[in-house]
Amino acid sequence: MSVATAIRTRRTIRHYRPDPVSAAALDTLAELAMEAPSSWNLQDRSLVVVTDPEVRADLVRATDGQPQPQEAPVMLVFVAEPQVWRADRTDVFDLARRNGAWTEEFISGFDTAASRFQQSLAERDLLREYAVKDAVIAATYTMLAATELGLATSPMNGWDEDAVKKAIGIEDRDDLAIALLMSVGYPAERRAHPGRRPVTATVFRDRYPARTGGR
């Protein structure tokens, strides 16, 4: 399946068959999710793969009884890590060296610039926002990868962050944030594409148009 086909055929599915998702498929999804880009390659996002029925039950309560965590055999919790830039990044630099992606000169300048930029975000209270953005990019990769594997997904809003954090065991981690929940499984429903506005209504060249009507 091409990326274009995955984009066009993916639908948000709320109801699922109980069929389990194989460990191999989950490993593939996790690997591809973590291939997503992140600001300054900080990789300031992580993924919790939930298959335990008790944890899923906690997520049902955290989502106020939405059907996805009740029915889907897998729930993914995308965690934003706003403070990860303060940790040692030697492993990231070593891997880039081994892959021939970054030179010593680049690493030195990059490390300094990244730290300076993150500090500026901290001063403007924007660290959480940037980490959540990176986590959501990873979630988008996951949805497309799942579509290629014949799996359905639903990116979820409408959850209590404190309750989700407690469900996955990070209720005491103020340095972490919940970016997104996503159900994964085999669909028990078929959903037609509801359509999108024409690109002429939502895609602009060079400048956003002057305000007209309700926009």
Side-chain angles (χ1 to χ4, degrees):
M1 181 183 291
S2 69
V3 175
T5 299
I7 290 171
R8 292 190 173 102
T9 59
R10 183 212 62 83
R11 300 271 69 81
T12 294
I13 297 297
R14 290 172 58 82
H15 297 287
Y16 295 83
R17 306 200 310 264
D19 312 48
V21 178
S22 72
L26 292 179
D27 287 346
T28 297
L29 284 183
E31 179 186 354
L32 294 175
M34 295 299 102
E35 282 289 338
S38 60
S39 179
W40 297 94
N41 197 30
L42 289 172
Q43 302 173 52
D44 52 347
R45 70 288 182 273
S46 54
L47 175 63
V48 179
V49 181
V50 177
T51 57
D52 187 304
E54 291 185 8
V55 182
R56 283 174 47 215
D58 289 338
L59 292 178
V60 170
R61 289 185 285 272
T63 58
D64 198 25
Q66 294 187 58
Q68 296 96 311
Q70 296 184 56
E71 299 179 15
V74 182
M75 288 295 297
L76 305 180
V77 182
F78 291 85
V79 179
E81 303 179 335
Q83 303 299 329
V84 74
W85 68 280
R86 302 182 190 278
D88 179 55
R89 299 197 294 277
T90 301
D91 62 322
V92 174
F93 300 146
D94 285 346
L95 184 58
R97 287 189 190 95
R98 290 198 301 273
N99 287 340
W102 294 355
T103 65
E104 291 297 333
E105 181 181 7
F106 180 86
I107 289 171
S108 177
F110 187 85
D111 188 24
T112 300
S115 296
R116 185 182 299 120
F117 181 79
Q118 294 301 116
Q119 183 61 49
S120 74
L121 294 181
E123 292 167 359
R124 292 176 287 157
D125 198 26
L126 292 175
L127 286 172
R128 186 183 192 278
E129 178 180 327
Y130 270 65
V132 167
K133 289 175 182 177
D134 286 341
V136 171
I137 294 171
T140 301
Y141 270 50
T142 305
M143 287 189 289
L144 298 180
T147 302
E148 182 191 16
L149 294 173
L151 295 165
T153 58
S154 175
M156 295 181 64
N157 275 321
W159 32 264
D160 181 287
E161 180 164 15
D162 290 338
V164 174
K165 291 177 77 170
K166 184 175 182 180
I168 63 171
I170 58 171
E171 63 269 30
D172 60 340
R173 296 290 301 274
D174 292 338
D175 59 316
L176 301 176
I178 303 301
L180 194 74
L181 271 62
M182 184 184 297
S183 52
V184 178
Y186 294 97
E189 62 177 346
R190 292 179 63 87
R191 290 210 166 199
H193 195 325
R196 298 290 188 263
R197 288 174 170 153
V199 294
T200 53
T202 53
V203 178
F204 314 111
R205 303 294 181 185
D206 299 322
R207 294 180 181 273
Y208 193 87
R211 185 187 298 273
T212 58
R215 295 198 65 170

